[in-house]
Amino acid sequence: MDNPYHLINVEAQERLGIADIILQFKKDGRSLTANVDVKATANDIPSGGKGPNITSFSRIRSAYVQDPDYMFIVLSIKHKVYVQRNEITRLMDGIMEIVDYNAYDLKFISDADIYYNPALGTGQIQIKDIHYVSFQYRTTWEMCRLLDSKYLRSSRKSIEDFYREAQRNKWIKE
């Protein structure tokens, strides 16, 4: 009850959308929207959560260009699964227990924790280890510059490739 943010709407998103869930809050008469991407990893898999695909370079950069206040939250969930045979149905019943979670605004994940993988379309933004992330404050402009530099440094893309991508996504004015 003491939380100044009041949840007013929750929407599940389509498969392959930029986010899995949209949350909308009211605070001091203002409406805030958070796009949440859920990443679940098994607690008993040591390499779980290392290098997950977060979103495509072009999608997230376009989102920040269209709305400088865009909020993209990565929700990391660690889980355990318990399974037992149902004697009536003869099927296996499973229960998933959430044992740990973290939530991060992508814009504030440190430079060292974000990297660019050139696979799949325009490439994927990934996090080195989703369970251990450092915070770094940055503006939207600084985030776009970070994404651009990772795109250009970590791939075989040239500045001409970037320019074509910028034209296609309307990141620049002609």
Side-chain angles (χ1 to χ4, degrees), residues 13-20 36-37 54-55 59 70 72:
Q13 297 299 289
E14 296 177 11
R15 185 171 159 13
L16 301 178
I18 191 168
D20 297 314
V36 181
D37 186 31
I54 302 302
T55 188
R59 268 186 170 176
Y70 187 76
F72 189 83

Side-chain angles (χ1 to χ4, degrees), residues 101-149:
Y101 71 92
N102 288 294
Y104 315 100
D105 186 331
L106 181 64
K107 193 186 321 182
F108 302 126
I109 294 176
S110 75
D111 294 3
D113 291 321
I114 295 174
Y115 68 99
Y116 171 85
N117 181 340
L120 303 174
T122 61
Q124 291 288 307
I125 301 302
Q126 295 180 313
I127 297 176
K128 288 183 181 169
D129 187 336
I130 200 160
H131 305 300
Y132 302 99
V133 172
S134 298
F135 174 84
Q136 179 179 347
Y137 178 81
R138 67 172 63 87
T139 65
T140 300
W141 169 241
E142 291 167 334
M143 182 61 175
C144 287
R145 287 179 35 209
L146 172 69
L147 292 170
D148 296 348
S149 70

Side-chain angles (χ1 to χ4, degrees), residues 34-61:
N35 299 270
V36 181
D37 186 31
V38 180
K39 300 297 178 193
T41 57
N43 192 48
D44 57 348
I45 299 175
S47 63
K50 298 219 176 16
N53 286 337
I54 302 302
T55 188
S56 83
F57 162 74
S58 290
R59 268 186 170 176
I60 195 65
R61 193 180 190 292

